Amino acid sequence: MIPVTKPYLPSRERLDHYLDGIYEREWLTNNGQLVQELTRRLEEYLGVENLLLVANGTLALQIAYRALGVSDAQPDRRPQAITTPFTFVATASSLKWDGVEPLFADIDPHTWCLDPRNVEAAITPDTRAIVPVHVFGNACDVGAIDTIARKHNLKVIYDASHAFGVKYQGDSLLRHGDAATLSFHATKLFHTGEGGAIVFKRKGDLERAKKMINFGITGPETIEELGINAKMNEFQAAMGLCVLDEMEENLKARAEVWHRYEQALATTLQLQAQPEALDYNYAYFPVVFESEEQALRVATTLKENGVLARRYFYPSLESVACLGINGGQPISKDIASRILCLPIFDQLAQREQNNIINLIETELVA
Ligand SMILES: *Cc1c(COP(=O)(O)O)cnc(C)c1O
């Protein structure tokens, strides 16, 4: 089976070198040398400051909500955050899990990111934050979202899980918002097996979050505030350093795959509209079909031929009961019903990709 993505496995020799160091130091977690090294390397690579490594991308979101005071309890009111239904479930479930009611606003039909006009319309007196997603690595309308947030005194936490290395208007996309979070899950472009990071705008928020990821402990006998365990360990960091070392070749191979799909499919299928000023990371190749029926037919044909395209992101989250009472996001519902993500990873052979393209084209004229 050709999967939709394959975890990037760096050279064993390279990994062994880092593992030898872990065995020598006998230091496995709690802000070890490799975690510190990866923090510095990522800040440099991404062009950001105030980066904090954590155990996974979901905890990255939750620590960001806490550090920015979004989920602070109030006696008789329930905080709310406005977010998109067109995303991986963790964006919304992390809010709910932390006692924040996710309020969905609909997406833009072309970029598939939150439409700022719908965000403003959804604000209530209990709204504390906006949690937009740079979905598939595309840039949200960061200017408009920033204006709304200032006007209504809201925090902005971007779920940038897909946006590793993406630049917008010549600068890291991660520099927008009070915080931007990354997931380093095995299936993501850059990964540490499991892992994640938060990029804070302000150093003070970073310092608060640092305490929170280690139980609020600040010294051998001091516990300064409420915390949890969200630390990244040395083995995760070792994997991350290796993947980062080989990032250039990985990106180059993915870019080739991405451009071959684009060349073949851009005239017949709807692709995600990206702003001019976007410097993309080639993490995903989503396509939207004419109808749900056509999308499902293509998915079935691909599967029968050993290719696994995935319905990312389906279902649209306003229809998921455990996330709360929502609804009325017809654009997200529509795009979610007609979308498929096609296989994209560095090892995808040109012959295999041509076969995928042929199967889709044959199905489209059928
Ligand atoms: C992967 C992902 C997450 C969750 O990250 P984990 O590292 O798996 O916890 C959150 N949001 C989005 C949009 C994701 O794609």
Side-chain angles (χ1 to χ4, degrees), residues 56-58 61 87-88 90-91 133 159 161-162 183-185 188 194-195:
N56 62 58
T58 305
L61 285 163
T87 178
F88 182 61
T91 313
V133 179
D159 183 339
S161 292
H162 307 159
S183 163
F184 301 154
H185 183 259
K188 303 297 206 279
E194 293 269 7

Side-chain angles (χ1 to χ4, degrees), residues 17 23 138 192 225 286:
H17 162 78
Y23 272 69
N138 201 12
T192 58
E225 65 178 303

